[in-house]
Amino acid sequence: MIRNLAIIAHVDHGKTTLVDKMLRQAGAFRANQLVEERVMDSNPLERERGITILAKNTAVHWHGTKINIVDTPGHADFGGEVERILRMVDGVLILVDAAEGPMPQTRFVTRKALALGLNPIVAINKIDRADAEPLRVHDEVLGLFIDLEATHEQLDAPFLYTSSRAGTATTDLDQPGTDLLPLFQAILDHVPPPKGDPEGPFQMLVSTLDHSTFLGRIAIGRIERGRVRVGDQVALLPLGEPGLVTDEPVERNRVTKLFTFDGLHRIDVNEVAAGDIVALSGFETIEIGKTFTSVEQPERLAGIAVEEPTISVDFIVNNGPFAGRDGKFVTSRQLRDRLFRELERNVALRVEPTDSPDTHTVSGRGELHLGILMENMRREGYEFQVSRPRVITKLGLDGERLEPYEELTVDVPEEHMGGVMEKLGPRRAELIEMKNPGQGSVRMTFRIPARGLFGYRSEFLTDTRGTGIMHHRFLDYGSWAGPLAGRKRGVLVADREGSVVAYALGNLQERAQMFVAPGDLVYEGMVAGESSRPGDMDVNVTKEKKLTNMRASGSDDNILLEPPRDITLEYALEYIEEDELIEVTPKSIRLRKRVLHGNDRRKAARAARVADAS
Ligand SMILES: Nc1nc2c(ncn2[C@@H]2O[C@H](COP(=O)(O)OP(=O)(O)OP(=O)(O)O)[C@@H](O)[C@H]2O)c(=O)[nH]1
Ligand SMILES: [Mg+2]
């Protein structure tokens, strides 16, 4: 007996923590086995950031039933992957934070699940939070279901009140939960067993991809019908209309390996039958949405659309003065090979060559999606530069220019509402909805061009004194919103190479927020800080104090310096302007001007002004 379940939710609502507790309580670990928290978030970046980046399969056994579980990422950039995963399960567990309630990503994944006809189980999670209001959130979830035109059966979803952290679930708030038994029971009762006939001809949809150096491409999906064995000759059908494939060339090959999932392991198996989720290798041409079938009955399943990228950046070989100091892989060839290798499993990514062999355009679903690729590359020893992100525009039916729009949701204390609205206006945000969930805070939902959000997060945090929460996700393509104002403040640009001196920063910091600290190395054209006024300024951050007769030493002892702003990759992507680049190396993230020499830059700026005016 099998059940296939995906856990879906907005980011941080507690999916991975819950999977942890399910694994534990179902006995997936040995009694004395030491297992880290959120063990499914297994890659280093996931652990560091505390978010799930890649969906992962696992399985537990409960009272004789195998429950395949897919833990999915909650961040909006990965919504497309969640959508694909829904094709390999027969039920979903929707987690909703008992204080935050349904958020944009809850709405997105719930809509997809309901549209596929999946019956949900709802877990109002984190009921241990001091500000939890499970009953209010219960109503909000029902409201969301109605909004999304759920069927009667879907509206009958069982509701559980859970604490992932404590590992408890209950159907009745007056009876505090003691374990996850009610959750396991709900899964057995409400997730239908997979329907496929194990005796029919083999058929399976590729729902997600994996890759290993030994096996090459690996397809993961649910076997829809029949069974498959290692060594079987099977067909892999190209994307196309569902139904019997008669007059297209079909690739045939042997299955080299089959795995099923169990706890934290993949189990090497010889045969898998309909209903189970399997990882299958043997074809280098595996792609999301293709169908595996028996050779005799090549019957295609409806494919899966992979979401289109919405933003692009250029990856450029590092040509700054410090190029090659930190990185192991720095040449255009190495950069190119690495980028193309990423396509093996990162299906929503696009990589295109440009006129220059040193530059590749890389397109993805958002700043996090691209930022994670950059972070992984620098950890592997790559060094490169990245341009400012551009939105990917499209042409509408009448040839008009369209650009991506996002749905932005902000939770802010009432007193900061005005300030936030004031900033969002010029960014062309349109208020769609405003709610007062209580406790002095306001939730506002906007429609805003994706461009309008560039650089907004840091402003938002400043304007709400760090108390606001914001989330955005792709909504649709809409008409081009026209020019938007760029960064309000100019930057300080280092005017020479050298080592940063505290004395120099001491003189600058009244008019600026520095990005560098004493001892850092800078070069001409590198961005050293943000000015408090518009317009860029060339500065000497390496200037030593003049020695005078009065004091014999040039010591910096008595200069009190503000700590420099921490420049993360995502921050940098949001921050930089068109005439700037991010230099990414294993050790540093630097911002620089494209044109390094001050004179050349001023000439270029003058030429641009003349061109603008004419
Ligand atoms: N108070 C409380 N905190 C919880 C509970 N469950 C999870 N958390 C905390 O919420 C944070 C996010 O938990 P995760 O399990 O990583 O959430 P997630 O839904 O997997 O997040 P993404 O995969 O990034 O979408 C962590 O700090 C958890 O410790 C809970 O039941 N109660
Ligand atoms: Mg997670």
Side-chain angles (χ1 to χ4, degrees), residues 326-342:
D326 300 346
K328 265 193 294 191
F329 309 113
V330 296
T331 67
S332 62
R333 180 64 194 266
Q334 287 164 331
L335 191 61
R336 175 186 171 279
D337 289 353
R338 175 63 182 83
L339 289 174
F340 278 99
R341 204 160 67 239
E342 182 69 17

Side-chain angles (χ1 to χ4, degrees), residues 15-17 41 51-52 71-74:
K15 298 174 287 299
T16 307
T17 309
D41 282 346
I51 60 166
T52 303
D71 182 24
T72 65

Side-chain angles (χ1 to χ4, degrees), residues 3 73 79 229 254 329 510 567 577:
R3 295 290 188 278
R229 292 172 204 84
R254 285 197 191 284
F329 309 113
E510 262 161 53
I567 305 288
E577 289 289 338

Side-chain angles (χ1 to χ4, degrees), residues 48 150 175 414 457 483 518:
E48 220 166 86
Q175 306 269 323
E414 265 159 29
R457 186 177 295 273

Side-chain angles (χ1 to χ4, degrees), residues 482-503:
L484 291 177
R487 201 167 59 206
K488 296 271 168 358
R489 298 173 167 179
V491 289
L492 305 187
V493 185
D495 68 356
R496 72 199 66 191
E497 187 169 324
S499 178
V500 175
V501 172
Y503 171 74

Side-chain angles (χ1 to χ4, degrees), residues 51-64:
I51 60 166
T52 303
I53 296 167
L54 294 170
K56 287 176 214 74
N57 285 77
T58 181
V60 299
H61 293 269
W62 185 260
H63 295 179

Side-chain angles (χ1 to χ4, degrees), residues 20-196:
D20 243 25
K21 293 300 190 306
M22 291 175 81
L23 286 167
R24 267 167 228 270
Q25 293 188 24
F29 309 134
R30 291 189 314 276
N32 58 350
Q33 192 175 353
L34 274 179
V35 189
E36 335 162 72
E37 292 242 313
R38 285 185 289 111
V39 61
M40 296 286 283
D41 282 346
S42 47
N43 80 50
L45 259 191
E46 290 182 320
R47 299 210 69 76
E48 220 166 86
R49 300 189 179 204
I51 60 166
T52 303
I53 296 167
L54 294 170
K56 287 176 214 74
N57 285 77
T58 181
V60 299
H61 293 269
W62 185 260
H63 295 179
T65 300
K66 176 180 186 180
I67 306 173
N68 279 309
I69 304 169
V70 196
D71 182 24
T72 65
H75 193 281
D77 279 15
F78 310 119
E81 178 159 24
V82 180
E83 190 176 349
R84 295 194 292 273
I85 278 155
L86 294 177
R87 290 289 297 275
M88 66 166 138
V89 297
D90 306 290
V92 289
L93 176 64
I94 302 175
L95 242 64
V96 187
D97 184 302
E100 281 192 352
M103 294 294 281
Q105 190 65 5
T106 318
R107 192 183 178 88
F108 175 81
V109 291
T110 303
R111 180 192 292 129
K112 298 292 175 188
L114 296 182
L116 281 170
L118 297 171
N119 288 340
I121 298 171
V122 180
I124 310 287
N125 191 39
K126 305 201 189 182
I127 52 167
D128 58 291
R129 273 180 73 152
D131 54 351
E133 291 186 65
L135 292 177
R136 184 200 64 178
V137 171
H138 186 140
D139 287 347
E140 289 174 0
V141 174
L142 278 179
L144 174 65
F145 281 10
I146 291 167
D147 244 23
L148 297 175
E149 297 173 359
T151 62
H152 284 297
E153 224 186 327
Q154 289 170 331
L155 277 173
D156 266 345
F159 274 72
L160 296 166
Y161 303 97
T162 59
S163 167
S164 293
R165 195 178 268 172
T168 60
T170 177
T171 49
D172 178 358
L173 279 171
D174 295 329
Q175 306 269 323
T178 51
D179 54 29
L180 291 175
L181 212 119
L183 173 63
F184 285 116
Q185 199 55 50
I187 295 171
L188 297 198
D189 294 345
H190 294 276
V191 177
K195 289 188 275 296

